[in-house]
Amino acid sequence: MPNPQGMLINLALQGGGSHGAFTWGVLDALLERGTLDIEGISGTSAGAMNAVVLADGFEENGAEGAREHLHRFWKAVSDASNFSPVQRTLLDMMFGNWSMDMSPGYLIGDVMTRFYSPYDYNPLNLNPLRDILEELVDFERVRRCKGVKLFLGATNVYNGKVRVFETSEITADSVLASACLPSMFQAVEIDGIPYWDGGFMGNPVLFPFFHGTKTDDILLVQINPISRKEIPRSARDIHNRVNEITFNASLLRELRAIEFVSRKLKEGVLSPDEYSDVRMHRIALVDTDAPLSASSKVNAEWKFLTYLRDLGREAALEWCRENEQHVGKKPTIRLEEEIAYTMQGELTGY
């Protein structure tokens, strides 16, 4: 994104269902400020959708176009959810609880996905997100986008490896592949290869930045916590924690690799001519006064999405005030602490 006074940065956008509206808020604030020049975006699932919508809008009308397209996309997602059987209960609404844990529609769907596959209960492979993407996103324009490089991650079902779709390859299918939870949707086939959600192998992938972009600064927009302080005890909480661990495992591996290379560069073991000293930064969705349960990731009420958007805007502006001046100079995450093992072998960090 050309900006004469901007500092180059790459964005790594995690997936997380409707919690991706937090990322929308982060992007909205960064685009409004205009002090950072976004060179590349790596996205998975909801992060992939935010990325392509941003690129489409930016190619059409710069930063303001990107902001308008993001708003329009999330409003369309919310409007489509009005017809969903998964809705909050009246009690949840009265007490300001965003959770879907007590929603009859959510409970029925939760049980169904544990005993039946989407090939059973959705044989026509209906996906409302496809309709939204195909209606609102001009994928030819996305593929022409020169202002930002895109890297969307999906998981190859056959070999379990990550597939990265770059800007010139991106279609509605590649975005849906990146967001294809196998318990909810049939695998998305592209050139005869079936793909599932990219979060299994990269949430999101970072390695495409190393050779595909110039800047060594990566801003991670993190909406899935790595660590928690409580032990999950219910079947649902255990299942949710397993998913969090699974979807963060590949990210932790890449962070360990970045920290290892950075340390060896400082020790003089590796050559700076061959290896990059990546500077990591982060804006994270953290628990608020109303903690967000895993089931709230399927809550697409406009009131909830704009609540998350506003959280994202606030978090981005706070990060800019405290850390923006360090972009291009030093990391604002201490990776040695993020990935350090305690004596018990437990990971520390957010």
Side-chain angles (χ1 to χ4, degrees):
M1 295 181 179
N3 178 0
Q5 297 179 336
M7 296 167 282
L8 277 179
I9 199 164
N10 291 319
L11 299 181
L13 311 182
Q14 282 199 329
S18 64
H19 290 188
F22 173 85
T23 302
W24 164 31
V26 171
L27 296 174
D28 188 69
L30 296 180
L31 290 164
E32 183 181 47
R33 279 178 62 86
T35 51
L36 293 175
D37 192 346
I38 303 171
E39 183 180 9
I41 304 178
S42 175
T44 295
S45 196
M49 295 186 187
N50 276 317
V52 297
V53 172
L54 182 152
D56 183 34
F58 186 83
E59 185 68 9
E60 181 183 53
N61 190 31
E64 281 307 306
R67 295 179 66 199
E68 291 170 7
H69 279 234
L70 283 165
H71 183 280
R72 187 174 65 177
F73 170 78
W74 284 101
K75 185 62 169 66
V77 169
S78 178
D79 290 344
S81 75
N82 292 334
F83 303 99
S84 170
V86 181
Q87 303 289 342
R88 282 192 299 162
T89 65
L90 288 175
L91 280 177
D92 285 328
M93 293 180 184
M94 288 174 58
F95 289 101
N97 183 2
W98 301 114
S99 169
M100 294 291 199
D101 288 346
M102 296 297 108
S103 164
Y106 177 80
L107 293 172
I108 292 171
D110 187 46
V111 171
M112 284 186 60
T113 57
R114 295 175 192 273
F115 292 94
Y116 301 97
S117 87
Y119 296 87
D120 298 320
Y121 62 77
N122 186 11
L124 297 179
N125 200 22
L126 301 177
N127 187 340
L129 287 173
R130 176 179 292 279
D131 296 334
I132 294 172
L133 286 169
E134 291 180 343
E135 178 182 354
L136 298 184
V137 178
D138 183 338
F139 282 95
E140 288 189 9
R141 187 162 55 206
V142 170
R143 291 190 290 272
R144 293 195 308 266
C145 183
K146 303 298 182 184
V148 59
K149 298 178 181 178
L150 300 183
F151 308 97
L152 310 186
T155 302
N156 184 316
V157 178
Y158 286 155
N159 59 27
K161 297 179 181 179
V162 66
R163 164 70 191 275
V164 178
F165 295 93
E166 299 191 23
T167 310
S168 61
E169 306 172 289
I170 291 174
T171 64
D173 279 342
S174 55
V175 179
L176 292 170
S178 182
C180 181
L181 288 173
S183 61
M184 297 180 64
F185 303 108
Q186 297 180 23
V188 178
E189 290 195 18
I190 301 174
D191 297 329
I193 305 296
Y195 293 97
W196 282 341
D197 195 292
F200 292 112
M201 296 306 297
N203 194 19
V205 290
L206 305 181
F207 69 84
F209 292 139
F210 303 157
H211 300 290
T213 61
K214 298 176 182 178
T215 182
D216 292 326
D217 287 87
I218 300 175
L219 173 57
L220 171 66
V221 182
Q222 188 169 359
I223 56 181
N224 296 292
I226 290 176
S227 64
R228 288 194 179 275
K229 296 179 181 179
E230 69 280 358
I231 300 174
R233 300 187 184 277
S234 70
R236 180 182 298 146
D237 288 344
I238 291 170
H239 178 72
N240 292 336
R241 186 58 184 145
V242 167
N243 283 338
E244 287 179 344
I245 292 171
T246 300
F247 284 142
N248 278 315
S250 55
L251 174 63
L252 283 170
R253 285 195 296 270
E254 290 201 89
L255 293 179
R256 291 190 194 105
I258 289 171
E259 190 279 332
F260 175 80
V261 170
S262 179
R263 178 158 38 90
K264 293 304 177 182
L265 283 169
K266 290 181 175 64
E267 294 172 357
V269 176
L270 298 178
S271 168
D273 295 330
E274 298 180 12
Y275 294 89
S276 298
D277 191 3
V278 176
R279 296 177 289 271
M280 288 297 305
H281 314 274
R282 177 176 58 213
I283 298 173
L285 172 61
V286 296
D287 281 346
T288 62
D289 293 336
L292 303 177
S293 68
S295 67
S296 67
K297 291 182 178 181
V298 298
N299 183 349
E301 295 174 45
W302 185 238
K303 186 177 180 181
F304 181 49
L305 297 183
T306 53
Y307 165 76
L308 290 171
R309 177 203 60 194
D310 293 345
L311 285 180
R313 282 185 53 85
E314 181 180 346
L317 293 174
E318 180 180 356
W319 181 87
C320 287
R321 287 191 295 269
E322 296 180 359
N323 299 298
E324 190 178 66
Q325 68 272 22
H326 300 308
V327 174
K329 300 174 183 177
K330 67 177 185 179
T332 54
I333 300 177
R334 293 179 60 85
L335 285 183
E336 64 273 20
E337 295 178 1
E338 289 288 310
I339 64 172
Y341 285 92
T342 66
M343 293 300 291
Q344 291 77 29
E346 298 172 348
L347 281 165
T348 62
Y350 169 75

Short mmCIF file of all heavy atoms in Angstrom, two decimals, residues 227-277:
data_model
loop_
_atom_site.label_atom_id
_atom_site.label_comp_id
_atom_site.label_asym_id
_atom_site.label_seq_id
_atom_site.Cartn_x
_atom_site.Cartn_y
_atom_site.Cartn_z
N SER A 227 -2.35 -19.73 25.89
CA SER A 227 -2.38 -20.31 27.24
C SER A 227 -3.66 -19.90 27.97
O SER A 227 -4.23 -18.84 27.71
CB SER A 227 -1.16 -19.86 28.04
OG SER A 227 -1.17 -18.47 28.24
N ARG A 228 -4.08 -20.76 28.86
CA ARG A 228 -5.22 -20.48 29.75
C ARG A 228 -4.85 -20.87 31.17
O ARG A 228 -3.97 -21.71 31.37
CB ARG A 228 -6.47 -21.24 29.29
CG ARG A 228 -7.08 -20.67 27.99
CD ARG A 228 -8.47 -21.21 27.76
NE ARG A 228 -9.08 -20.68 26.55
CZ ARG A 228 -9.74 -19.53 26.49
NH1 ARG A 228 -9.87 -18.79 27.59
NH2 ARG A 228 -10.27 -19.12 25.36
N LYS A 229 -5.53 -20.28 32.13
CA LYS A 229 -5.18 -20.51 33.53
C LYS A 229 -6.05 -21.55 34.20
O LYS A 229 -5.74 -21.99 35.31
CB LYS A 229 -5.25 -19.19 34.30
CG LYS A 229 -4.24 -18.15 33.81
CD LYS A 229 -4.36 -16.85 34.59
CE LYS A 229 -3.36 -15.82 34.08
NZ LYS A 229 -3.46 -14.53 34.80
N GLU A 230 -7.17 -21.92 33.56
CA GLU A 230 -8.07 -22.87 34.20
C GLU A 230 -8.03 -24.23 33.48
O GLU A 230 -7.68 -24.30 32.29
CB GLU A 230 -9.51 -22.34 34.22
CG GLU A 230 -10.19 -22.26 32.85
CD GLU A 230 -9.80 -21.05 32.05
OE1 GLU A 230 -9.04 -20.22 32.57
OE2 GLU A 230 -10.26 -20.94 30.89
N ILE A 231 -8.36 -25.28 34.20
CA ILE A 231 -8.41 -26.61 33.62
C ILE A 231 -9.81 -26.82 33.03
O ILE A 231 -10.81 -26.68 33.74
CB ILE A 231 -8.15 -27.70 34.68
CG1 ILE A 231 -6.77 -27.51 35.28
CG2 ILE A 231 -8.27 -29.10 34.05
CD1 ILE A 231 -6.50 -28.47 36.45
N PRO A 232 -9.92 -27.17 31.76
CA PRO A 232 -11.24 -27.46 31.20
C PRO A 232 -11.78 -28.76 31.78
O PRO A 232 -11.06 -29.76 31.83
CB PRO A 232 -10.97 -27.58 29.70
CG PRO A 232 -9.52 -27.93 29.59
CD PRO A 232 -8.84 -27.29 30.76
N ARG A 233 -13.04 -28.77 32.22
CA ARG A 233 -13.59 -29.96 32.87
C ARG A 233 -14.81 -30.52 32.16
O ARG A 233 -15.04 -31.73 32.19
CB ARG A 233 -13.93 -29.63 34.33
CG ARG A 233 -12.69 -29.20 35.13
CD ARG A 233 -13.00 -29.04 36.61
NE ARG A 233 -11.85 -28.53 37.34
CZ ARG A 233 -10.85 -29.29 37.79
NH1 ARG A 233 -10.88 -30.59 37.56
NH2 ARG A 233 -9.84 -28.77 38.44
N SER A 234 -15.59 -29.67 31.52
CA SER A 234 -16.74 -30.19 30.80
C SER A 234 -16.29 -30.72 29.44
O SER A 234 -15.22 -30.35 28.93
CB SER A 234 -17.78 -29.09 30.60
OG SER A 234 -17.31 -28.13 29.66
N ALA A 235 -17.11 -31.60 28.85
CA ALA A 235 -16.77 -32.17 27.55
C ALA A 235 -16.59 -31.08 26.50
O ALA A 235 -15.66 -31.12 25.68
CB ALA A 235 -17.84 -33.16 27.10
N ARG A 236 -17.47 -30.07 26.55
CA ARG A 236 -17.39 -28.99 25.57
C ARG A 236 -16.12 -28.17 25.77
O ARG A 236 -15.43 -27.82 24.81
CB ARG A 236 -18.62 -28.09 25.69
CG ARG A 236 -18.59 -26.93 24.69
CD ARG A 236 -19.80 -26.04 24.88
NE ARG A 236 -21.03 -26.77 24.64
CZ ARG A 236 -22.17 -26.55 25.28
NH1 ARG A 236 -22.22 -25.62 26.21
NH2 ARG A 236 -23.25 -27.26 25.00
N ASP A 237 -15.79 -27.86 27.03
CA ASP A 237 -14.59 -27.05 27.30
C ASP A 237 -13.32 -27.81 26.91
O ASP A 237 -12.36 -27.21 26.40
CB ASP A 237 -14.53 -26.67 28.78
CG ASP A 237 -15.56 -25.61 29.14
OD1 ASP A 237 -16.10 -24.97 28.22
OD2 ASP A 237 -15.84 -25.45 30.35
N ILE A 238 -13.31 -29.12 27.14
CA ILE A 238 -12.15 -29.92 26.74
C ILE A 238 -11.99 -29.91 25.23
O ILE A 238 -10.89 -29.72 24.70
CB ILE A 238 -12.29 -31.37 27.26
CG1 ILE A 238 -12.17 -31.39 28.79
CG2 ILE A 238 -11.24 -32.28 26.63
CD1 ILE A 238 -12.53 -32.72 29.41
N HIS A 239 -13.11 -30.09 24.53
CA HIS A 239 -13.08 -30.07 23.06
C HIS A 239 -12.59 -28.73 22.55
O HIS A 239 -11.76 -28.66 21.63
CB HIS A 239 -14.48 -30.37 22.53
CG HIS A 239 -14.60 -30.34 21.05
ND1 HIS A 239 -14.07 -31.32 20.23
CD2 HIS A 239 -15.18 -29.43 20.21
CE1 HIS A 239 -14.31 -31.03 18.97
NE2 HIS A 239 -14.99 -29.89 18.92
N ASN A 240 -13.07 -27.63 23.15
CA ASN A 240 -12.65 -26.30 22.72
C ASN A 240 -11.17 -26.06 22.98
O ASN A 240 -10.47 -25.47 22.15
CB ASN A 240 -13.48 -25.24 23.46
CG ASN A 240 -14.93 -25.24 23.04
OD1 ASN A 240 -15.27 -25.67 21.94
ND2 ASN A 240 -15.80 -24.76 23.91
N ARG A 241 -10.68 -26.54 24.13
CA ARG A 241 -9.25 -26.34 24.44
C ARG A 241 -8.37 -27.15 23.50
O ARG A 241 -7.29 -26.69 23.09
CB ARG A 241 -8.96 -26.72 25.90
CG ARG A 241 -7.53 -26.40 26.34
CD ARG A 241 -7.22 -24.94 26.17
NE ARG A 241 -5.83 -24.64 26.50
CZ ARG A 241 -5.10 -23.72 25.89
NH1 ARG A 241 -5.63 -23.00 24.90
NH2 ARG A 241 -3.86 -23.50 26.26
N VAL A 242 -8.81 -28.36 23.15
CA VAL A 242 -8.06 -29.16 22.17
C VAL A 242 -7.95 -28.41 20.84
O VAL A 242 -6.89 -28.38 20.21
CB VAL A 242 -8.74 -30.53 21.97
CG1 VAL A 242 -8.16 -31.25 20.75
CG2 VAL A 242 -8.56 -31.40 23.21
N ASN A 243 -9.05 -27.79 20.43
CA ASN A 243 -9.02 -27.02 19.18
C ASN A 243 -8.07 -25.84 19.27
O ASN A 243 -7.34 -25.54 18.32
CB ASN A 243 -10.43 -26.53 18.84
CG ASN A 243 -11.31 -27.62 18.27
OD1 ASN A 243 -10.81 -28.62 17.76
ND2 ASN A 243 -12.61 -27.45 18.36
N GLU A 244 -8.06 -25.14 20.41
CA GLU A 244 -7.15 -24.00 20.57
C GLU A 244 -5.70 -24.45 20.48
O GLU A 244 -4.88 -23.80 19.81
CB GLU A 244 -7.39 -23.32 21.92
CG GLU A 244 -8.67 -22.51 21.99
CD GLU A 244 -8.89 -21.88 23.34
OE1 GLU A 244 -8.22 -22.31 24.32
OE2 GLU A 244 -9.73 -20.97 23.44
N ILE A 245 -5.38 -25.55 21.15
CA ILE A 245 -4.01 -26.06 21.12
C ILE A 245 -3.62 -26.48 19.70
O ILE A 245 -2.53 -26.17 19.21
CB ILE A 245 -3.85 -27.23 22.11
CG1 ILE A 245 -3.98 -26.72 23.55
CG2 ILE A 245 -2.51 -27.93 21.91
CD1 ILE A 245 -4.07 -27.82 24.59
N THR A 246 -4.54 -27.19 19.04
CA THR A 246 -4.28 -27.66 17.68
C THR A 246 -4.03 -26.50 16.73
O THR A 246 -3.08 -26.50 15.95
CB THR A 246 -5.46 -28.49 17.17
OG1 THR A 246 -5.66 -29.62 18.04
CG2 THR A 246 -5.21 -28.98 15.75
N PHE A 247 -4.88 -25.47 16.81
CA PHE A 247 -4.80 -24.36 15.87
C PHE A 247 -3.66 -23.39 16.19
O PHE A 247 -3.38 -22.50 15.40
CB PHE A 247 -6.13 -23.61 15.79
CG PHE A 247 -7.17 -24.33 14.99
CD1 PHE A 247 -8.50 -24.32 15.38
CD2 PHE A 247 -6.83 -25.04 13.85
CE1 PHE A 247 -9.47 -24.98 14.63
CE2 PHE A 247 -7.78 -25.70 13.10
CZ PHE A 247 -9.11 -25.67 13.49
N ASN A 248 -3.02 -23.53 17.36
CA ASN A 248 -1.88 -22.67 17.67
C ASN A 248 -0.55 -23.40 17.55
O ASN A 248 0.51 -22.76 17.63
CB ASN A 248 -2.01 -22.11 19.10
CG ASN A 248 -2.91 -20.89 19.17
OD1 ASN A 248 -2.82 -19.99 18.34
ND2 ASN A 248 -3.79 -20.86 20.16
N ALA A 249 -0.59 -24.73 17.37
CA ALA A 249 0.66 -25.51 17.37
C ALA A 249 1.62 -25.06 16.27
O ALA A 249 2.82 -24.89 16.51
CB ALA A 249 0.33 -27.00 17.22
N SER A 250 1.11 -24.88 15.06
CA SER A 250 1.99 -24.51 13.95
C SER A 250 2.54 -23.10 14.14
O SER A 250 3.70 -22.82 13.79
CB SER A 250 1.24 -24.61 12.63
OG SER A 250 0.06 -23.83 12.66
N LEU A 251 1.73 -22.20 14.69
CA LEU A 251 2.21 -20.84 14.96
C LEU A 251 3.36 -20.87 15.96
O LEU A 251 4.38 -20.19 15.77
CB LEU A 251 1.07 -19.98 15.50
CG LEU A 251 1.45 -18.57 15.96
CD1 LEU A 251 1.98 -17.75 14.80
CD2 LEU A 251 0.26 -17.88 16.62
N LEU A 252 3.22 -21.66 17.01
CA LEU A 252 4.29 -21.77 18.00
C LEU A 252 5.58 -22.31 17.37
O LEU A 252 6.67 -21.86 17.70
CB LEU A 252 3.85 -22.67 19.16
CG LEU A 252 2.89 -22.03 20.16
CD1 LEU A 252 2.34 -23.07 21.12
CD2 LEU A 252 3.60 -20.92 20.93
N ARG A 253 5.44 -23.27 16.47
CA ARG A 253 6.64 -23.81 15.80
C ARG A 253 7.34 -22.72 15.01
O ARG A 253 8.57 -22.63 15.02
CB ARG A 253 6.26 -24.98 14.89
CG ARG A 253 5.95 -26.27 15.61
CD ARG A 253 5.94 -27.46 14.66
NE ARG A 253 4.89 -27.33 13.66
CZ ARG A 253 3.66 -27.79 13.82
NH1 ARG A 253 3.31 -28.39 14.95
NH2 ARG A 253 2.75 -27.66 12.85
N GLU A 254 6.56 -21.90 14.30
CA GLU A 254 7.19 -20.84 13.52
C GLU A 254 7.81 -19.77 14.42
O GLU A 254 8.88 -19.23 14.11
CB GLU A 254 6.17 -20.22 12.56
CG GLU A 254 5.77 -21.15 11.42
CD GLU A 254 5.20 -20.39 10.23
OE1 GLU A 254 5.97 -19.99 9.36
OE2 GLU A 254 3.96 -20.21 10.22
N LEU A 255 7.17 -19.47 15.54
CA LEU A 255 7.74 -18.51 16.47
C LEU A 255 9.04 -19.03 17.07
O LEU A 255 10.00 -18.27 17.27
CB LEU A 255 6.75 -18.17 17.58
CG LEU A 255 5.49 -17.41 17.16
CD1 LEU A 255 4.59 -17.16 18.35
CD2 LEU A 255 5.86 -16.08 16.49
N ARG A 256 9.08 -20.34 17.35
CA ARG A 256 10.34 -20.92 17.84
C ARG A 256 11.45 -20.80 16.81
O ARG A 256 12.60 -20.49 17.14
CB ARG A 256 10.13 -22.40 18.21
CG ARG A 256 9.26 -22.63 19.42
CD ARG A 256 9.29 -24.09 19.86
NE ARG A 256 8.22 -24.36 20.80
CZ ARG A 256 7.10 -25.02 20.51
NH1 ARG A 256 6.92 -25.50 19.28
NH2 ARG A 256 6.18 -25.22 21.42
N ALA A 257 11.11 -21.04 15.55
CA ALA A 257 12.11 -20.95 14.48
C ALA A 257 12.61 -19.51 14.34
O ALA A 257 13.82 -19.27 14.16
CB ALA A 257 11.52 -21.43 13.16
N ILE A 258 11.70 -18.54 14.43
CA ILE A 258 12.09 -17.13 14.33
C ILE A 258 13.00 -16.75 15.49
O ILE A 258 14.03 -16.09 15.30
CB ILE A 258 10.83 -16.23 14.31
CG1 ILE A 258 10.09 -16.40 12.98
CG2 ILE A 258 11.20 -14.77 14.54
CD1 ILE A 258 8.73 -15.72 12.95
N GLU A 259 12.66 -17.19 16.69
CA GLU A 259 13.48 -16.88 17.86
C GLU A 259 14.85 -17.53 17.74
O GLU A 259 15.87 -16.91 18.08
CB GLU A 259 12.78 -17.37 19.13
CG GLU A 259 13.41 -16.90 20.44
CD GLU A 259 14.61 -17.73 20.86
OE1 GLU A 259 14.65 -18.94 20.50
OE2 GLU A 259 15.50 -17.20 21.55
N PHE A 260 14.91 -18.76 17.25
CA PHE A 260 16.18 -19.48 17.11
C PHE A 260 17.10 -18.75 16.13
O PHE A 260 18.28 -18.51 16.42
CB PHE A 260 15.91 -20.90 16.61
CG PHE A 260 17.16 -21.69 16.31
CD1 PHE A 260 17.88 -22.29 17.33
CD2 PHE A 260 17.62 -21.81 15.01
CE1 PHE A 260 19.04 -23.01 17.05
CE2 PHE A 260 18.77 -22.52 14.72
CZ PHE A 260 19.48 -23.13 15.74
N VAL A 261 16.55 -18.36 14.98
CA VAL A 261 17.35 -17.66 13.98
C VAL A 261 17.83 -16.32 14.53
O VAL A 261 18.99 -15.94 14.35
CB VAL A 261 16.55 -17.47 12.67
CG1 VAL A 261 17.28 -16.53 11.72
CG2 VAL A 261 16.31 -18.81 12.00
N SER A 262 16.93 -15.58 15.19
CA SER A 262 17.30 -14.29 15.76
C SER A 262 18.43 -14.43 16.77
O SER A 262 19.39 -13.64 16.77
CB SER A 262 16.09 -13.65 16.43
OG SER A 262 16.41 -12.40 17.00
N ARG A 263 18.34 -15.45 17.61
CA ARG A 263 19.38 -15.67 18.63
C ARG A 263 20.71 -16.03 17.99
O ARG A 263 21.77 -15.53 18.39
CB ARG A 263 18.90 -16.78 19.58
CG ARG A 263 19.89 -17.15 20.66
CD ARG A 263 19.18 -17.82 21.84
NE ARG A 263 18.10 -18.70 21.41
CZ ARG A 263 18.26 -19.99 21.14
NH1 ARG A 263 19.47 -20.54 21.22
NH2 ARG A 263 17.22 -20.73 20.79
N LYS A 264 20.68 -16.89 16.96
CA LYS A 264 21.92 -17.31 16.30
C LYS A 264 22.53 -16.16 15.49
O LYS A 264 23.76 -16.08 15.34
CB LYS A 264 21.65 -18.51 15.40
CG LYS A 264 21.28 -19.78 16.18
CD LYS A 264 22.34 -20.13 17.20
CE LYS A 264 21.97 -21.33 18.04
NZ LYS A 264 22.99 -21.64 19.08
N LEU A 265 21.69 -15.26 14.97
CA LEU A 265 22.22 -14.08 14.28
C LEU A 265 22.96 -13.18 15.27
O LEU A 265 24.04 -12.66 14.96
CB LEU A 265 21.09 -13.31 13.62
CG LEU A 265 20.53 -13.88 12.31
CD1 LEU A 265 19.24 -13.17 11.92
CD2 LEU A 265 21.56 -13.77 11.18
N LYS A 266 22.38 -13.00 16.46
CA LYS A 266 23.03 -12.18 17.47
C LYS A 266 24.34 -12.81 17.95
O LYS A 266 25.30 -12.10 18.29
CB LYS A 266 22.09 -11.96 18.66
CG LYS A 266 20.90 -11.06 18.37
CD LYS A 266 20.04 -10.89 19.59
CE LYS A 266 18.92 -9.88 19.34
NZ LYS A 266 17.98 -10.33 18.31
N GLU A 267 24.39 -14.15 17.98
CA GLU A 267 25.60 -14.84 18.40
C GLU A 267 26.65 -14.91 17.30
O GLU A 267 27.78 -15.33 17.54
CB GLU A 267 25.25 -16.27 18.85
CG GLU A 267 24.38 -16.32 20.11
CD GLU A 267 23.88 -17.72 20.41
OE1 GLU A 267 24.16 -18.64 19.60
OE2 GLU A 267 23.21 -17.90 21.44
N GLY A 268 26.27 -14.50 16.08
CA GLY A 268 27.20 -14.53 14.97
C GLY A 268 27.34 -15.90 14.32
O GLY A 268 28.23 -16.11 13.48
N VAL A 269 26.46 -16.82 14.68
CA VAL A 269 26.53 -18.17 14.13
C VAL A 269 25.97 -18.20 12.71
O VAL A 269 26.46 -18.93 11.84
CB VAL A 269 25.77 -19.16 15.03
CG1 VAL A 269 25.75 -20.56 14.42
CG2 VAL A 269 26.41 -19.20 16.42
N LEU A 270 24.93 -17.42 12.47
CA LEU A 270 24.31 -17.35 11.15
C LEU A 270 24.65 -16.02 10.48
O LEU A 270 24.88 -15.01 11.15
CB LEU A 270 22.79 -17.50 11.26
CG LEU A 270 22.27 -18.81 11.84
CD1 LEU A 270 20.75 -18.78 11.94
CD2 LEU A 270 22.72 -19.99 11.00
N SER A 271 24.65 -16.04 9.16
CA SER A 271 24.99 -14.85 8.39
C SER A 271 23.74 -14.02 8.11
O SER A 271 22.73 -14.56 7.62
CB SER A 271 25.65 -15.24 7.06
OG SER A 271 25.74 -14.12 6.20
N PRO A 272 23.77 -12.69 8.38
CA PRO A 272 22.63 -11.83 8.05
C PRO A 272 22.40 -11.71 6.55
O PRO A 272 21.34 -11.25 6.13
CB PRO A 272 23.02 -10.48 8.67
CG PRO A 272 24.51 -10.52 8.78
CD PRO A 272 24.86 -11.95 9.04
N ASP A 273 23.35 -12.13 5.75
CA ASP A 273 23.17 -12.11 4.30
C ASP A 273 22.26 -13.24 3.84
O ASP A 273 21.69 -13.18 2.75
CB ASP A 273 24.53 -12.23 3.59
CG ASP A 273 25.42 -11.03 3.86
OD1 ASP A 273 24.88 -9.93 4.06
OD2 ASP A 273 26.65 -11.20 3.88
N GLU A 274 22.13 -14.28 4.66
CA GLU A 274 21.34 -15.45 4.30
C GLU A 274 20.07 -15.59 5.13
O GLU A 274 19.13 -16.26 4.70
CB GLU A 274 22.18 -16.73 4.45
CG GLU A 274 23.42 -16.75 3.54
CD GLU A 274 24.23 -18.04 3.72
OE1 GLU A 274 23.71 -18.98 4.35
OE2 GLU A 274 25.37 -18.08 3.23
N TYR A 275 20.05 -14.98 6.32
CA TYR A 275 18.90 -15.13 7.20
C TYR A 275 18.39 -13.76 7.65
O TYR A 275 19.17 -12.83 7.83
CB TYR A 275 19.26 -15.95 8.46
CG TYR A 275 19.61 -17.39 8.15
CD1 TYR A 275 20.93 -17.75 7.85
CD2 TYR A 275 18.62 -18.37 8.16
CE1 TYR A 275 21.24 -19.07 7.56
CE2 TYR A 275 18.94 -19.69 7.88
CZ TYR A 275 20.24 -20.04 7.58
OH TYR A 275 20.56 -21.33 7.29
N SER A 276 17.08 -13.65 7.81
CA SER A 276 16.46 -12.41 8.24
C SER A 276 16.20 -12.43 9.74
O SER A 276 15.82 -13.46 10.31
CB SER A 276 15.12 -12.20 7.51
OG SER A 276 15.31 -12.09 6.12
N ASP A 277 16.44 -11.29 10.37
CA ASP A 277 16.13 -11.14 11.80
C ASP A 277 14.72 -10.57 11.91
O ASP A 277 14.52 -9.36 11.90
CB ASP A 277 17.16 -10.22 12.45
CG ASP A 277 17.05 -10.24 13.96
OD1 ASP A 277 16.22 -11.02 14.49
OD2 ASP A 277 17.79 -9.49 14.63
#
